[in-house]
Amino acid sequence: MERHYIHIADFCKNHYIEESFIYELFEYELISLKIDNEQKLIHEEELPRLEKMVRLHRDLQINVEGLDAIHHLLQKNISLQAEINLLRKQLERYKKP
């Protein structure tokens, strides 16, 4: 399977943001980057999450620390929802027909 990457400079140019914002997200481990021949790239699968963070930052003026907190809470929510679904399936076994 071929992996597709986008240059960070191109992404930033198209979204009118500074590259430093992307590097801050990377430092907080909110996105992953690939460095290839001194070119900084982002995988296309990261784009929806990155675009969501750009919108939150731009539209709601949420800083990177806030984005980190939001990301953590969303991940926790997903984890808890998966646990609830598992427990519901286990509970179904004990219900009488």
Side-chain angles (χ1 to χ4, degrees):
M1 183 169 89
E2 187 176 333
R3 299 188 62 119
H4 298 280
Y5 291 90
I6 296 169
H7 293 273
I8 289 177
D10 293 338
F11 178 87
C12 291
K13 181 180 176 184
N14 290 331
H15 288 81
Y16 306 103
I17 60 167
E18 298 290 325
E19 287 186 34
S20 60
F21 177 71
I22 304 295
Y23 301 135
E24 282 185 78
L25 294 175
F26 175 69
E27 287 175 15
Y28 276 83
E29 298 179 356
L30 296 172
I31 60 169
S32 59
L33 300 177
K34 177 182 177 183
I35 299 175
D36 187 31
N37 295 330
E38 296 186 23
Q39 294 182 356
K40 294 164 184 83
L41 309 167
I42 188 160
H43 193 268
E44 66 181 5
E45 290 178 357
E46 295 271 348
L47 290 179
R49 184 173 359 147
L50 178 56
E51 289 171 339
K52 183 187 296 184
M53 289 183 203
V54 168
R55 285 191 309 274
L56 288 170
H57 175 69
R58 181 180 295 133
D59 298 344
L60 301 176
Q61 282 83 41
I62 297 174
N63 61 14
V64 177
E65 292 85 1
L67 293 173
D68 184 39
I70 290 169
H71 176 72
H72 173 73
L73 290 172
L74 288 174
Q75 291 303 110
K76 185 71 172 174
N77 186 30
I78 290 169
S79 173
L80 290 172
Q81 191 61 50
E83 185 176 350
I84 288 170
N85 290 338
L86 176 66
L87 291 171
R88 281 185 179 153
K89 287 180 183 177
Q90 291 175 347
L91 191 59
E92 286 293 323
R93 292 183 200 160
Y94 296 105
K95 283 188 176 181
K96 294 182 182 178

